[in-house]
Amino acid sequence: MDIKNVLLIVRKEAGESIKNRWFLLYTICFSLLALLVLFLASSRSEIAGYSGFGKTAASLINLVLLFVPLIALVTGAISISSERENGTLSYLLSHPITKSEIFVGKFIGTLIPIWFSISLGFGLAGVGVAIGGGEGDVSKYITTAFLSALLAASLLSIGLLVSVYSKRASKSIGIAVFLWLLFIILGDLGIMGTTVAMGLGIEQVFALALLNPAEVFKIASVLALSPRFEILGPVGIYAVRTFGKEGVFYLLFGIMLLWTLIPLGYAYLAFTRFRKEEI
Amino acid sequence: MASYISVLVFLTAISTSVAVSAETVHIVSPKGPFTSISQAILSAKSGDTIRVNGGTYNEHIIVDKTLNLIGINEPNIDGGGKGTVVLIKAPGVTFKGFHVSGSGESLTVEDTGIVLDSAQGSIIEDNYLHDVLFGIYLKNSSGTLIRNNTIVGKDLPIPVRGDGIRLWYSSKTKILDNTITGARDLVMWWSGDTLIKGNKIEQGRYGLHYMYSDNNVFEDNLFIGNYVGGFLMYSNNIKFHYNIFALNQGPATGYGIGFKDLDDIVASENLFIDNRIGIYMDNSPHSVDSWNTLEDNVIAFNDIGISLMPSIQRNIIVSNSFIDNVEQVEVRGGGVLAGNKWFEENKGNYWSDYRGYDEDKDGIGEIPYKAESLFEGLIDSNPVLRIFIYSPVAQAIELASDAFPVMKPAPKVTDNYPLMSSRISDRFDSPKGKFSLNLFIVSAFMTLIPLFAFFYIIRR
Amino acid sequence: MIKVKDVTKRFGNITAVDKACFSLNAGESLALLGVNGAGKSTLIKCVLGILDYSGEITLNGLNIKENEKEAKSLAGYVPQEPLFYDMRTRDVLGFFGSIRRVRSSRVDEVLDLVGLKEHERKSTSELSGGMRQRLSFAIALLSDPEVLILDEPTSNLDAGARGDFLNLIKEYKNKGKTVLFSSHRLDEVDLLADRALFMESGKVVFEGRPENLQELLGLKITINLVVPQGSVERAIGILAREGFHNAESNGRGLNIETDSKQRVDVLKKLLQEEIPISDFKIQEPSMENIIDRIKENGY
């Protein structure tokens, strides 16, 4: 793998993302909403010197959960399928560049703009909080931003996997949006329904929740932001008792890492080995 | 009072260098005349004063006479890690100004810093207790004053710690302005008519814990960072005012305050903040002719504002401010509350999640506040589902139930006169948050780096 | 320069290229002929290393599977329908130039060469079909490759653009470079190819030199003449006398099937006899005709 070629693709992809009007719209929306959330929350965040975890962090987590997976999944899903559909991939491959270089370049090149948009959103919100005199725990804030970045990487990998297996961009966008719904709402809804109907136990609910990268992100963020894992009820208490607070955090972090590396690795192999005929 | 006067007399005597008094003063210091407190006690007679100068005294003391023990320059009595350090067995003893340390670690024999056994009307004041299993232990010692002591527990896991202050059949006690850190409980058994005021209790198990103790008053106390701020059982006529219960977040419990089988409580102007559960009520009031009153309290930033068992009745909960609790009201196991008053005489509570309006500007919302969240209903009846709190699915479920009201559960609570603004007592005024330079710098970088990158790429 | 041996490419159940074999010497020019779907584009993509295949392909002795980049560096490719990223013309050249590691001044050289200098700041989406084809050609020329591979290079161009473009290729060929191109037009083959290869259903069915292709296959052209109704019978008579027996009335005039070389003779004879020809059209043999002939002749 030639790093020069990878960087060329990174530059191309990043440039295309940033000039894309949908991406710009997304970035602006995300940043403004983040600012709004923090502004509203900092208006009454302290009583007698105590401030709650409350709305600020919850809203931030929710905002990340709604926005980041969608843009990451869709960006990933179209990145290869659209080039395949319009023939530019095949043309690019006629030049002295390998599929590995293209794949790695695409992953990094699409990830960086998403990371930038997350950084921008968190940054603006953080400036707002700092000036407003709200909760000023930098490390928690950075941890959440970092977890969001990891969430983006994970869902981008899943998107890429979708992309590798799609011939048409429209189809891959459809699948990406469905996956988003699945990760953000349907999956949790399914667990909730099953729990109510069949009375799942604490361990089962915890195990099922771990299957969903978005849910894993949420639990990890709550643990990182709040000293109160009990907020997550018996499952949270069980998890912390079983693994320890740091242990749970590393477990969740590890799962998010796996949710990044496995789809990414599989997509890479599929693109470069298993599905060579699908250009 | 008598001992106060005696001390005064004694001091006057010293200052005028006239040593004439029935109350002899015995001096203990490392250089003598007495080098041990026990020797001095042995020589003293009831009513005498023992003045102990600064220094370390490695001994266990038994005070079996009515004496005034006064520490000057912080003398330290150290038990060497064995047994109880100071045992007071006579009534009317004054024990003041000492450092007490080095008790044993046995829970079964209850190794303690200072034990008062049948020492009615004693005064324990201005002492600093550390490295002790139990701090101050009152047995059958009613009418005692415990004031301005600091108790730091042994650095042990909570289950093997002793209590900071323990009252056993010791009524009419006053516990004032003490600080207890890292102990187990402040616990009272069969000790009524007690005033507990101005204490700070932190990093323990139960900040306040008691049973069978009636007619107590709690004011201006701070219960911070304990597993449970206070847990009170089987008692009547308890008054709470101006206390702060904050950051009590023990696993599975984490109550700001919990009531079990408690009658005739009046709790007003307390602050319950950032606990797992602000107020937990189980079978209170217990008697059919009893009512509890909770008014003008601030219940904010808790995971659950107030948690009640479904059978709870006869509570008047009015004029409180429920602010940004993740769940404002929980009904344990799901269900609907009945027989409690959430409003009275056209006045209800403030609910931060109230979405109504105040047309006639009388400070009261025109439509009732109803706690009828579908998601909350689900997590009340299936606590494991709490894991999904803050997930978009929670909002999705609320949206769905807003769109299809048939899905809405019956309201847990209905407040017909919700207040439009919160009422936070001036005594809880907080300084405005400080400008955070670190956060500002980090955030500014997080903002500027992508902005520059965006412009750089777009301009290329 | 190019050696293709037993190359087979399957898409699922469909065999797009079936045991294709050919070789191409340095400086030689080879046309791949065949109807749409014969497997020309697929074979070209195999040669370029875009598609995976079974069999063996070497470029200048380099196996494209083992020495992917070196082999790909040897060839410039002009696809059937050039599609680019939505960048400025100059940036597209810069991008591919970087992949091919050419010096940046080369971008200006090829822009001049294909006459796109004045459009260098335009986005590729603003270029016309002919300009896009030239841009594609410019990209192919960036590294001044030994081999130029073109897939139906003129199929999307109008007549004028097509002529210009063929001249560009011709110039390149005249520099002694190797050219492999696919086409379904015999005139392009005449103009550019030293040899022609016919493909049908993925198989190479015939190989020959273009100048004797028509004779070899006995290919006929059809001349459509528009003549007044009254002159049709006379014209058929004249033609029969001169030895052109395959003439028949078609309502507006007549169709004459003849050898390509004799097309001028037909017209000459009729004009000498003062047959009033108001219009005429020549139908070259279609690729289908050619393939049919190949099959009939059992090549």
Side-chain angles (χ1 to χ4, degrees):
Chain A
M1 198 173 298
D2 190 331
I3 200 76
K4 260 189 176 173
N5 283 355
V6 174
L7 287 179
L8 274 169
I9 302 294
V10 168
R11 280 231 308 264
K12 173 185 97 67
E13 291 291 330
E16 282 180 0
S17 276
I18 287 169
K19 287 178 195 165
N20 181 304
R21 81 186 80 159
W22 291 110
F23 184 82
L24 279 179
L25 186 69
Y26 152 80
T27 303
I28 291 166
C29 283
F30 179 71
S31 304
L32 289 182
L33 281 172
L35 199 59
L36 187 72
V37 160
L38 278 276
F39 176 74
L40 286 180
S42 65
S43 60
R44 189 182 52 213
S45 63
E46 282 198 345
I47 296 172
Y50 298 97
S51 53
F53 169 72
K55 277 184 177 166
T56 314
S59 312
L60 201 61
I61 291 175
N62 255 292
L63 191 66
V64 170
L65 270 177
L66 287 174
F67 272 71
V68 171
L70 185 63
I71 194 75
L73 275 168
V74 171
T75 309
I78 59 175
S79 74
I80 292 173
S81 62
S82 67
E83 281 215 38
R84 181 181 281 145
E85 183 176 349
N86 64 27
T88 48
L89 180 62
S90 145
Y91 183 59
L92 179 59
L93 276 170
S94 76
H95 293 276
I97 188 165
T98 61
K99 284 177 122 183
S100 309
E101 290 160 354
I102 294 173
F103 184 89
V104 174
K106 272 186 173 290
F107 177 69
I108 300 172
T110 44
L111 186 56
I112 286 174
I114 297 175
W115 278 1
F116 278 176
S117 69
I118 291 172
S119 173
L120 190 63
F122 272 82
L124 280 174
V127 169
V129 172
I131 292 170
E135 227 179 333
D137 194 335
V138 184
S139 62
K140 284 179 181 179
Y141 202 64
I142 291 177
T143 309
T144 315
F146 179 74
L147 285 169
S148 308
L150 193 55
L151 178 72
S154 160
L155 289 159
L156 183 68
S157 304
I158 297 168
L160 272 173
L161 186 58
V162 171
S163 202
V164 167
Y165 279 91
S166 317
K167 280 183 185 161
R168 292 200 321 272
S170 56
K171 186 178 150 202
S172 56
I173 291 175
I175 295 172
V177 171
F178 172 76
L179 283 177
W180 176 77
L181 264 179
L182 185 72
F183 287 139
I184 301 306
I185 291 177
L186 297 181
D188 288 354
L189 208 57
I191 302 176
M192 293 180 76
T194 317
T195 307
V196 172
M198 297 170 60
L200 294 180
I202 291 174
E203 292 96 334
Q204 289 152 314
V205 171
F206 185 54
L208 287 172
L210 292 187
L211 292 178
N212 180 347
E215 192 57 48
V216 170
F217 161 80
K218 190 213 73 187
I219 299 172
S221 303
V222 172
L223 286 180
L225 284 168
S226 164
R228 261 188 298 171
F229 50 88
E230 296 85 0
I231 205 166
L232 296 171
V235 179
I237 292 167
Y238 160 79
V240 172
R241 277 210 184 133
T242 312
F243 303 100
K245 192 169 175 181
E246 284 196 353
V248 177
F249 193 75
Y250 290 130
L251 174 74
L252 298 169
F253 180 77
I255 290 173
M256 290 185 74
L257 215 54
L258 286 182
W259 263 110
T260 309
L261 295 177
I262 292 174
L264 187 68
Y266 193 80
Y268 173 81
L269 289 176
F271 185 59
T272 56
R273 306 241 196 292
F274 311 154
R275 294 177 61 81
K276 277 186 185 170
E277 73 274 16
E278 296 292 339
I279 295 300
Chain B
M1 221 28 163
S3 48
Y4 269 55
I5 292 164
S6 69
V7 170
L8 198 67
V9 168
F10 161 71
L11 288 172
T12 317
I14 294 286
S15 61
T16 53
S17 300
V18 180
V20 278
S21 171
E23 299 166 23
T24 316
V25 176
H26 308 269
I27 309 289
V28 180
S29 85
K31 287 179 252 160
F34 290 104
T35 54
S36 117
I37 303 165
S38 299
Q39 282 174 0
I41 293 171
L42 213 62
S43 312
K45 58 183 189 298
S46 194
D48 284 357
T49 294
I50 295 176
R51 198 181 116 182
V52 182
N53 285 323
T56 299
Y57 302 89
N58 295 305
E59 55 186 317
H60 297 81
I61 295 169
I62 297 173
V63 183
D64 47 6
K65 302 162 187 165
T66 303
L67 296 171
N68 301 320
L69 287 101
I70 312 294
I72 311 284
N73 294 329
E74 304 177 346
N76 187 6
I77 306 172
D78 191 280
K82 281 195 218 94
T84 288
V85 185
V86 176
L87 170 60
I88 297 171
K89 288 167 71 175
V93 170
T94 298
F95 187 85
K96 180 173 172 174
F98 288 90
H99 281 204
V100 177
S101 61
S103 80
E105 293 189 2
S106 167
L107 275 175
T108 33
V109 299
E110 297 175 332
D111 290 333
T112 306
I114 303 170
V115 171
L116 284 83
D117 192 347
S118 308
Q120 295 87 348
S122 294
I123 297 173
I124 309 295
E125 197 172 22
D126 298 338
N127 299 294
Y128 177 73
L129 292 85
H130 64 103
D131 191 28
V132 289
L133 190 67
F134 286 73
I136 300 173
Y137 195 156
L138 275 64
K139 303 174 183 172
N140 302 309
S141 300
S142 296
T144 297
L145 170 67
I146 301 176
R147 184 161 67 192
N148 198 31
N149 300 285
T150 298
I151 300 162
V152 181
K154 279 181 183 283
D155 186 13
L156 292 169
I158 278 190
V160 293
R161 285 188 199 165
D163 298 317
I165 296 178
R166 172 177 269 232
L167 271 60
W168 183 265
Y169 288 103
S170 300
S171 301
K172 300 191 176 69
T173 300
K174 289 188 171 65
I175 302 177
L176 310 176
D177 303 326
N178 301 286
T179 300
I180 304 177
T181 304
R184 191 170 65 184
D185 303 349
L186 188 171
V187 61
M188 300 158 64
W189 296 79
W190 291 287
S191 302
D193 300 303
T194 293
L195 172 66
I196 299 183
K197 185 169 177 174
N199 301 285
K200 180 177 184 187
I201 301 169
E202 56 190 358
Q203 313 304 332
R205 186 180 68 173
Y206 291 72
L208 182 65
H209 191 198
Y210 71 72
M211 285 131 286
Y212 312 111
S213 302
D214 303 337
N215 313 319
N216 295 324
V217 177
F218 299 86
E219 284 181 358
D220 287 318
N221 300 291
L222 220 51
F223 300 92
I224 298 176
N226 304 289
Y227 275 22
V228 171
F231 201 82
L232 281 51
M233 299 184 280
Y234 318 117
S235 305
N236 303 322
N237 188 27
I238 313 295
K239 293 189 167 48
F240 293 94
H241 309 292
Y242 327 127
N243 301 288
I244 295 180
F245 299 86
L247 300 163
N248 300 294
Q249 301 166 350
T253 52
Y255 311 133
I257 199 157
F259 301 129
K260 179 167 171 53
D261 294 315
L262 239 61
D263 286 346
D264 299 321
I265 311 164
V266 177
S268 67
E269 292 191 58
N270 299 287
L271 182 58
F272 301 90
I273 194 159
D274 208 2
N275 304 286
R276 202 176 72 78
I277 297 176
I279 301 171
Y280 169 67
M281 297 184 93
D282 180 4
N283 200 28
S284 299
H286 167 70
S287 316
V288 286
D289 56 349
S290 164
W291 283 80
N292 292 331
T293 305
L294 280 74
E295 58 184 8
D296 295 317
N297 300 290
V298 175
I299 300 135
F301 308 152
N302 304 287
D303 295 356
I304 296 169
I306 182 166
S307 171
L308 305 122
M309 298 305 258
S311 58
I312 293 272
Q313 294 181 35
R314 297 187 307 284
N315 289 290
I316 301 166
I317 301 171
V318 169
S319 191
N320 302 289
S321 296
F322 292 86
I323 301 171
D324 291 352
N325 300 292
V326 177
E327 186 178 358
Q328 303 272 40
V329 179
E330 180 194 44
V331 180
R332 281 263 166 132
V336 176
L337 290 169
N340 298 287
K341 292 186 182 172
W342 295 90
F343 56 90
E344 207 175 38
E345 294 164 10
N346 299 350
K347 191 171 160 193
N349 297 278
Y350 170 76
W351 307 90
S352 60
D353 55 337
Y354 177 60
R355 293 288 169 265
Y357 53 91
D358 179 15
E359 199 175 354
D360 53 10
K361 304 292 174 214
D362 62 349
I364 290 170
E366 309 303 338
I367 53 173
Y369 169 82
K370 287 181 180 171
E372 55 182 352
S373 151
L374 177 56
F375 181 71
E376 283 184 6
L378 278 171
I379 59 177
D380 285 357
S381 48
N382 297 280
V384 290
L385 296 182
R386 236 168 235 287
I387 189 87
F388 294 114
I389 232 159
Y390 297 143
S391 292
V393 70
Q395 273 96 317
I397 285 176
E398 292 314 331
L399 278 177
S401 77
D402 283 344
F404 305 102
V406 67
M407 291 166 70
K408 270 199 199 279
K412 289 185 277 196
V413 165
T414 304
D415 181 348
N416 286 348
Y417 302 97
L419 305 179
M420 293 306 292
S421 57
S422 59
R423 301 175 175 207
I424 301 175
S425 166
D426 288 345
R427 69 178 67 230
F428 300 134
D429 231 7
S430 69
K432 186 76 186 120
K434 286 195 292 281
F435 174 76
S436 164
L437 186 65
N438 281 353
L439 182 63
F440 182 80
I441 292 171
V442 167
S443 301
F445 270 108
M446 286 170 74
T447 311
L448 292 178
I449 291 171
L451 272 184
F452 279 127
F454 283 177
F455 283 120
Y456 174 72
I457 289 173
I458 285 171
R459 283 192 52 194
R460 272 183 73 236
Chain C
M1 181 56 73
I2 302 176
K3 278 201 173 62
V4 173
K5 198 178 159 201
D6 289 334
V7 167
T8 300
K9 173 69 194 171
R10 289 194 179 85
F11 294 109
N13 296 327
I14 301 156
T15 306
V17 177
D18 193 359
K19 291 197 175 139
C21 286
F22 68 88
S23 68
L24 187 55
N25 295 323
E28 217 184 348
S29 162
L30 178 75
L32 276 177
L33 299 172
V35 296
N36 285 334
K40 297 173 304 214
S41 292
T42 306
L43 182 55
I44 280 179
K45 284 182 178 168
C46 292
V47 172
L48 285 161
I50 297 172
L51 290 173
D52 194 25
Y53 55 86
S54 66
E56 196 180 300
I57 297 175
T58 56
L59 265 73
N60 206 13
L62 293 168
N63 187 317
I64 200 152
K65 284 186 184 174
E66 286 155 15
N67 297 298
E68 186 180 350
K69 280 191 195 166
E70 291 87 335
K72 280 178 171 179
S73 300
L74 291 172
Y77 170 50
V78 179
Q80 189 168 358
E81 239 177 294
L83 281 152
F84 308 103
Y85 304 117
D86 193 8
M87 306 181 195
R88 283 180 300 190
T89 303
R90 195 186 170 77
D91 295 340
V92 172
L93 279 162
F95 174 71
F96 289 109
S98 305
I99 292 181
R100 291 196 173 256
R101 310 278 192 275
V102 299
R103 58 187 199 285
S104 55
S105 59
R106 182 69 186 150
V107 169
D108 295 294
E109 288 172 30
V110 294
L111 275 170
D112 281 332
L113 198 69
V114 300
L116 282 176
K117 188 76 186 167
E118 58 191 294
H119 304 294
E120 65 171 9
R121 304 196 76 80
K122 276 190 186 165
S123 167
T124 56
S125 53
E126 299 168 50
L127 298 180
S128 72
M131 288 195 271
R132 293 162 75 86
Q133 201 78 20
R134 278 187 279 156
L135 174 58
S136 168
F137 193 65
I139 293 169
L141 295 186
L142 271 169
S143 61
D144 195 20
E146 283 308 306
V147 183
L148 191 60
I149 299 178
L150 307 98
D151 192 1
E152 309 239 1
T154 60
S155 59
N156 293 316
L157 299 183
D158 59 39
R162 181 167 162 262
D164 291 348
F165 193 66
L166 288 173
N167 282 335
L168 282 172
I169 302 173
K170 184 92 181 166
E171 270 172 43
Y172 187 77
K173 174 179 149 42
N174 291 343
K175 285 195 211 162
K177 307 279 184 174
T178 312
V179 177
L180 170 66
F181 69 101
S182 73
S183 178
H184 55 256
R185 302 185 63 128
L186 283 179
D187 55 343
E188 288 176 4
V189 177
D190 284 337
L191 185 70
L192 294 172
D194 301 325
R195 279 192 296 142
L197 213 66
F198 281 94
M199 291 187 72
E200 204 225 348
S201 306
K203 291 194 175 69
V204 174
V205 291
F206 176 81
E207 194 182 332
R209 309 192 80 74
E211 52 269 29
N212 48 26
L213 203 67
Q214 302 204 352
E215 292 166 54
L216 212 62
L217 293 174
L219 291 178
K220 306 273 190 207
I221 61 162
T222 304
I223 305 173
N224 312 123
L225 295 178
V226 181
V227 294
Q229 206 51 246
S231 308
V232 171
E233 281 305 313
R234 197 159 71 88
I236 289 174
I238 294 162
L239 289 170
R241 200 176 64 217
E242 297 293 327
F244 299 105
H245 298 291
N246 293 325
E248 58 191 23
S249 164
N250 69 354
R252 292 175 60 217
L254 67 165
N255 296 343
I256 307 121
E257 197 184 282
T258 173
D259 285 349
S260 182
K261 281 179 179 171
Q262 289 175 302
R263 66 180 92 181
V264 182
D265 295 344
V266 171
L267 293 180
K268 245 189 220 162
K269 294 282 186 251
L270 292 176
L271 288 172
Q272 278 167 9
E273 299 287 339
E274 294 183 346
I275 298 290
I277 300 171
S278 54
D279 196 6
F280 76 99
K281 200 165 88 185
I282 294 173
Q283 284 184 331
E284 300 280 351
S286 70
M287 202 51 77
E288 284 83 355
N289 296 143
I290 300 172
I291 299 294
D292 287 344
R293 294 298 305 212
I294 291 171
K295 280 191 198 156
E296 282 165 29
N297 293 354
Y299 286 100

